[in-house]
DNA sequence: CATTACACGGACATTTTTTGTCCGAGTCAA
DNA sequence: TTGACTCGGACAAAAAATGTCCGTGTAATG
């Protein structure tokens, strides 16, 4: 799994508490990560339609919709790609005892098992929204945490 | 996810139908895959204690226990490693607004969400055994499929 | 009992993916 | 009109996965 997923999720949580667009460079120094690479993850979120980029002097990124409507799965798929992690290469059709094509209409048992597990994983990620994460953060560190971050993002460079 | 997982699972299913040790090279040409690389996956299974290697002239690999007692999760963890796919780098403790160490006794909300999803994934993989896979294969292709493979493995080189 | 051939095991390259960096095009504010 | 700041995609470096090789040990065999 791509490590950029973690960065993207943290950024989404932070973006729930701001109204002004937040520049990628500022989000990067807030989390102390590579600005150029974080930019790439935010671009992925933008391509997926989760955030909207505002260009120009006071530009940056903003969420496109309510955090209640953005699931963790949305973010993960935007950054890591929507395809399944396990890819079946159909090796049952290869080799001297290859299965006949007409017997391969349904996916093989191994693919079914792996797909079932990935579906369970997806369901779990889909059941958590970015709003839930923000609520948990407030519950963990107190109400001042996100407010402080919001203020810091709006203030001049540290 | 490593592609070798698929090869390892297919090999485990095949091994349920043999009593004689099956050499890695023969399993490789059965599936038409790279012999050297498949050997590496089988070595991983051996290190994890799922298969036992028999050396010498009529050597090869055999399952160490009943297929009912080998879960798909066992195979996946043996090949891909037991660690979680999502690794939290604790970026909440970095940057100018880093969370205080005493407030970081519990894992952060993002890590909790990802860990929950991975647990669901693990549970699903744990609920399927290699015996279940073999049963499904028989159900899909008929009882002769695994028997034919077993006979081919025992016969002389094709 | 010596020999011989076979199979595993880990060390060695190669390719692909991931991670990280950079500069140009576009845009909004002043 | 100017200016400065933003995103966006094209360009390298590093890491991981994939693929290959030969040495070591073992068991069957004559």
């Amino acid at each position: 799994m791509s490590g950029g997923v973690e960065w993207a999720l943290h950024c989404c949580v932070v973006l729930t508490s701001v109204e002004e667009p937040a520049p990628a460079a500022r989000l990067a120094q807030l989390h102390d990560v590579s600005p150029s690479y974080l930019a790439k993850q935010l671009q992925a979120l933008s391509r997926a339609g989760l955030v909207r980029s505002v260009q120009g002097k006071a530009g940056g990124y903003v969420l496109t919709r309510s955090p209640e409507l953005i699931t963790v799965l949305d973010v993960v798929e935007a950054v890591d790609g929507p395809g399944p992690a396990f890819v079946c290469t159909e090796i049952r059709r290869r080799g001297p005892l290859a299965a006949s094509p007409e017997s391969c209409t349904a996916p093989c048992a191994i693919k079914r098992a792996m797909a079932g597990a990935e579906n369970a994983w997806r369901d779990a990620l889909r059941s958590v929204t970015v709003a839930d994460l923000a609520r948990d953060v407030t519950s963990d560190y107190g109400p001042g945490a996100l407010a402080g971050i919001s203020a810091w993002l709006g203030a001049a460079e540290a």
Side-chain angles (χ1 to χ4, degrees), chain A residues 3 11 17 47 58 63 88 91 93 124 127 144 152:
Chain A
C11 286
S17 68
R47 255 175 263 144
L63 296 178
C88 176
I91 68 180
R93 300 195 198 182
S127 71
W152 183 87

Side-chain angles (χ1 to χ4, degrees), chain A residues 64-153:
Chain A
T64 55
R65 54 184 188 262
S66 163
E68 301 281 357
L69 300 176
I70 302 177
T71 70
V72 174
L73 179 63
D74 291 330
V75 178
V76 170
E77 287 190 333
V79 173
D80 261 20
F86 177 86
V87 286
C88 176
T89 61
E90 291 291 335
I91 68 180
R92 61 178 170 173
R93 300 195 198 182
R94 303 168 52 177
L97 271 65
S100 63
E102 56 265 25
S103 68
C104 294
T105 56
C108 77
I110 290 171
K111 183 177 182 177
R112 289 198 299 265
M114 299 304 282
E118 289 202 19
N119 281 341
W121 177 76
R122 281 191 162 75
D123 289 345
L125 291 184
R126 207 191 333 265
S127 71
V128 182
T129 69
V130 171
D132 293 330
L133 293 179
R135 208 172 355 256
D136 290 352
V137 167
T138 299
S139 168
D140 285 349
Y141 311 110
L146 283 177
I149 288 176
S150 176
W152 183 87
L153 282 171

